[in-house]
Amino acid sequence: MIKLYGLRMSNYYSLTKALLIEKGLDFEEVKRPPSQEEDFLMRSPMGKMPAIEVNGVYLSESIAIASYLERLQPQPALLPGDAMQAAKVMELVCRLKLNVELVARRLLPEVLFKQPVSEETKVAVKADLAKGMMAVDRLFVGAPYAAGEQLTLADFYTFYCFGLATGMVNAIYGEDLLDGYANIQNVLAIMAEQPSVQRVETEKSAK
Ligand SMILES: N[C@@H](CCC(=O)N[C@@H](CS)C(=O)NCC(=O)O)C(=O)O
């Protein structure tokens, strides 16, 4: 059975758990806070969550895990069969992850840990986020799903990346990051109804 290491509070842990559920795979959750200790680095070389363990082999990085799960359990398919369409889904996932979530994450120390972030950082994050949102908007299809007619990995990344990013932006700038992005808001609403996501969110609040 697959073991999933990390904490339910993490958006990438939640995303990975939702994918495991979506794919109908058996898994066991192993509660482990991220750390730089050797036993954690062995599972996840940057000391981040999540990581999975399959037959004694460890794998970290949500995209790598998603890629493994897609091959392990092809149905339901979360990538289109066409090579270019599948790559376009991954392109959107990269933009969401690298140019929105990772940028907004720079605000996290102040929002979650009361460690003030400099004004310089706040200005830079705002500018980088504006650029990232324009890039996402260029790739986002929203008909009705993130990458088109099919539910894909990009919908899961949309849900879990914006879950964090909108919270950070609202807390620091008092703004709605998704103001004017009706198609992204629509995908968030669709994903909130997805049974796999609902189970993750329910179990998260149950702790
Ligand atoms: N790129 C990684 C990001 C994972 C990540 O940022 N995890 C956060 C929690 S959501 C973490 O472990 N943070 C603790 C740390 O950086 O020490 C992925 O997609 O899996």
Side-chain angles (χ1 to χ4, degrees):
M1 186 189 306
I2 298 173
K3 286 185 180 170
L4 174 62
Y5 291 87
L7 298 177
R8 289 179 174 176
M9 62 183 286
S10 152
N11 57 334
Y12 287 115
Y13 177 96
S14 296
L15 181 147
T16 305
K17 182 176 168 183
L19 296 179
L20 285 160
I21 297 167
E22 192 71 31
K23 293 282 184 186
L25 291 161
D26 282 338
F27 66 97
E28 176 192 341
E29 291 180 83
V30 186
K31 197 172 172 180
R32 288 282 184 284
S35 97
Q36 294 296 314
E37 298 295 324
E38 182 53 33
D39 75 318
F40 199 92
L41 294 177
M42 179 179 77
R43 292 183 208 109
S44 174
M46 288 300 287
K48 290 182 186 289
M49 57 188 171
I52 62 167
E53 180 183 351
V54 186
N55 301 327
V57 178
Y58 297 112
L59 184 63
S60 66
E61 200 59 44
S62 61
I63 289 185
I65 297 171
S67 159
Y68 167 71
L69 298 181
E70 192 66 18
R71 282 173 181 245
L72 180 71
Q73 180 57 265
Q75 297 301 328
L78 293 177
L79 285 177
D82 175 80
M84 181 51 83
Q85 282 181 19
K88 293 301 289 182
V89 170
M90 295 315 294
E91 183 186 19
L92 177 54
V93 165
C94 288
R95 296 285 73 83
L96 288 162
K97 198 170 189 286
L98 302 175
N99 303 109
V100 175
E101 202 266 6
L102 207 54
V103 175
R105 192 172 271 275
R106 294 174 65 195
L107 304 170
L108 193 142
E110 179 163 324
V111 179
L112 286 192
F113 307 117
K114 306 281 175 250
Q115 292 166 4
V117 165
S118 71
E119 278 311 307
E120 195 184 357
T121 299
K122 288 179 187 172
V123 170
V125 166
K126 200 165 187 180
D128 289 350
L129 271 178
K131 201 172 166 188
M133 287 301 291
M134 279 196 289
V136 165
D137 194 42
R138 280 180 189 276
L139 298 172
F140 210 92
V141 180
Y145 295 105
E149 291 176 6
Q150 181 189 337
L151 175 77
T152 68
L153 206 48
D155 296 290
F156 289 86
Y157 273 91
T158 298
F159 188 81
Y160 286 105
C161 286
F162 280 112
L164 181 133
T166 53
M168 296 296 127
V169 167
N170 187 263
I172 297 291
Y173 309 111
E175 291 174 9
D176 180 1
L177 180 64
L178 292 178
D179 192 21
Y181 293 97
N183 54 357
I184 300 179
Q185 288 178 19
N186 193 39
V187 165
L188 295 185
I190 293 173
M191 291 307 285
E193 298 295 318
Q194 192 71 12
S196 56
V197 169
Q198 285 192 332
R199 181 178 144 193
V200 170
E201 297 308 303
T202 304
E203 291 182 358
K204 192 194 288 177
S205 18
K207 287 281 179 286

